[in-house]
Amino acid sequence: MPLQGFAQVRDPTRLDARGGGRARGNMKSFIYTAQASRVIFGLNSLENIEHEVVQVGAQRALVLSTPEQRPEAEKVASRLGNRTAGIFAEAVMHVPIESARAARDKAAQLGADCAVAIGGGSTIGLAKAIALESTLPIIAIPTTYAGSEMTSIYGVTEDGIKRTGRDPRVLPRTVIYDPALTTSLPVGLSAASGMNAIAHAVEGLYAQDSNPVISLLAEEGIRAMALGLRRVVVAPNDLEARSDCLYGAWLCGIVLGGVGIALHHKLCHTLGGSFNLPHAATHAVVLPHAVAFNAPAAPEEMQRICRALGTESAAAGIFDLAKALGLPQSLRDLGLGAHDLDRASDLAMLSPYWNPRPFLLADIRELLRRAYEGDRPS
Ligand code: NAD
């Protein structure tokens, strides 16, 4: 199913209710679809990998990674012994079609009957590209906080255009979360990846199709991630802090997989896609401003964010968290030019995503100006 801005395709089965089912008075009305996957969470849980391959009924696993994470892929392969079909360590950002084809060919050539992806969203995205055409089950071992492992969203890039969609075949069957695999994630990447996860949860709270279960997961995901990140930036090897972050990443990933997104993601996709700004860091800069804009339309959701962060203001709380984590504070810091603001605003108005607060071009221009300057939302 092709996807426009991930979840903005109208689902005729979706109810009109949103905001945790607070549609009419106190009566709740919502649809909740659980995404079935098995999750193994805990320190050294990677030790279960062979058992999990057997669990999905597979004999020959193709292990995927980026070139940088080949040593981790080799460790997985050696744990799997003769259940390893081979290693494909050529995952790259945004899943170029050429790498998807090469991985599919390798899987077929080796007679692989399952894909084991160890890495971040790029490697898991490659496994999804294989599963899309082969129905091979995926076992995901995430090593960042991006959350792709909990979604049925795929993306493949061809001729410079990333085609995204949702398909139940690409949802990983099993996910192994092992905090020991994340201590090597550099502090800057950890912080940006964690803020990216928080952005998924924040927009899931006020998504058009949100529901009470997603709201609980989102609030807890934000709380755990913020708590963990504050400690990770001072002590990257703190396994308890890493565990909190990975737990938060799991919950925020469920939110991303379960409901839609809104204006904030549209802005980030525009800035990333048309101005080449870094994906996760852009989320960290834009989120406080998108939240400040949406706050009047989503007061209950703002309360949840405040509770999760222990702050009085959701927008300022997110801004202060990103600052405390040492992340860039402005689009200017990320390399956007002041002259790009008009074009970015125009592009963000094209095929807009659903948003709790209606907006005009002038609103977007002002929001982006604030993000460009890096002003703290009041
Ligand atoms: P990534 O997978 O691109 O990884 C970035 C770099 O960090 C890579 O070089 C990788 O090898 C390295 N790395 C990963 N984990 C490491 C670790 N523990 N230690 C050291 N190095 C490590 O980064 P990402 O942010 O996880 O993924 C971004 C991609 O995922 C984007 O293309 C985004 O669109 C996609 N994404 C997809 C979904 C979805 O639901 N489909 C969700 C979130 C993100």
Side-chain angles (χ1 to χ4, degrees):
M1 179 203 302
L3 203 67
Q4 229 188 17
F6 287 359
Q8 300 311 304
V9 176
R10 281 219 173 257
D11 176 347
T13 64
R14 277 181 187 160
L15 298 183
D16 215 14
R18 49 157 234 96
R22 54 186 172 77
R24 286 180 190 83
N26 289 325
M27 291 215 301
K28 296 190 189 307
S29 171
F30 58 88
I31 292 174
Y32 172 67
T33 308
Q35 307 249 44
S37 59
R38 175 177 158 90
V39 170
I40 323 293
F41 192 103
L43 190 60
N44 301 325
S45 53
L46 182 61
E47 288 170 8
N48 298 302
I49 183 64
E50 188 178 2
H51 178 257
E52 295 307 320
V53 167
V54 174
Q55 276 281 125
V56 300
Q59 301 288 334
R60 293 176 60 73
L62 177 63
V63 184
L64 308 171
S65 74
T66 58
E68 304 83 60
Q69 288 183 286
R70 178 181 266 279
E72 279 67 39
E74 281 169 357
K75 281 181 209 152
V76 170
S78 106
R79 275 189 186 282
L80 286 175
N82 59 14
R83 288 189 197 276
T84 305
I87 295 177
F88 185 86
E90 290 165 46
V92 282
M93 186 79 102
H94 301 311
V95 194
I97 186 74
E98 299 75 21
S99 102
R101 284 188 186 129
R104 285 170 190 156
D105 289 350
K106 179 130 185 178
Q109 188 192 3
L110 294 171
D113 56 7
C114 121
V116 174
I118 180 160
S122 299
T123 306
I124 295 167
L126 181 63
K128 289 177 169 182
I130 299 175
L132 197 57
E133 303 234 328
S134 65
T135 69
L136 244 57
I138 300 172
I139 297 179
I141 310 167
T143 61
T144 70
Y145 308 133
S148 175
E149 67 281 358
M150 294 312 296
T151 82
S152 57
I153 302 166
Y154 63 84
V156 178
T157 304
E158 188 165 12
D159 297 330
I161 295 171
K162 192 164 179 179
R163 185 173 54 89
T164 57
R166 279 186 201 257
D167 192 307
R169 286 175 299 176
V170 309
L171 180 73
R173 187 84 62 83
T174 305
V175 181
I176 298 179
Y177 285 106
D178 185 342
L181 301 172
T182 59
T183 51
S184 54
L185 191 63
V187 162
L189 270 182
S190 301
S193 185
M195 289 302 295
N196 187 188
I198 287 177
H200 300 327
V202 164
E203 292 235 297
L205 278 172
Y206 54 64
Q208 187 176 23
D209 52 353
S210 196
N211 61 66
V213 177
I214 285 295
S215 298
L216 291 172
L217 296 173
E219 184 177 334
E220 173 66 356
I222 296 168
R223 187 200 64 77
M225 183 61 84
L227 184 75
L229 287 178
R230 286 183 190 276
R231 290 160 66 198
V232 158
V233 294
V234 287
N237 291 322
D238 179 338
L239 283 166
E240 273 185 28
R242 289 288 185 179
S243 177
D244 280 344
C245 289
L246 211 48
Y247 169 63
W250 170 39
L251 301 181
C252 295
I254 300 175
V255 175
L256 178 65
V259 293
I261 44 179
L263 176 63
H264 165 76
H265 278 79
K266 175 68 188 187
L267 295 174
C268 292
H269 293 161
T270 302
L271 293 166
S274 303
F275 300 90
N276 214 18
L277 297 198
H279 178 81
T282 305
H283 275 274
V285 169
V286 174
L287 188 62
H289 305 285
V291 166
F293 179 76
N294 280 331
E300 288 174 28
E301 292 79 359
M302 295 301 129
Q303 276 178 23
R304 283 194 181 271
I305 299 168
C306 290
R307 235 177 6 235
L309 296 177
T311 54
E312 299 276 311
S313 150
I318 293 168
F319 182 91
D320 293 344
L321 173 64
K323 188 170 183 184
L325 299 177
L327 286 165
Q329 298 281 278
S330 69
L331 293 177
R332 186 198 281 121
D333 290 346
L334 296 183
L336 195 77
H339 57 277
D340 293 324
L341 288 173
D342 284 333
R343 199 172 135 243
S345 309
D346 289 340
L347 289 172
M349 292 299 288
L350 300 176
S351 36
Y353 300 180
W354 180 89
N355 194 57
R357 183 176 169 193
F359 52 84
L360 300 170
L361 176 64
D363 298 317
I364 299 305
R365 181 67 174 72
E366 175 58 11
L367 194 166
L368 287 177
R369 186 199 64 76
R370 288 169 191 242
Y372 176 79
E373 298 293 345
D375 294 341
R376 182 178 189 267
S378 54

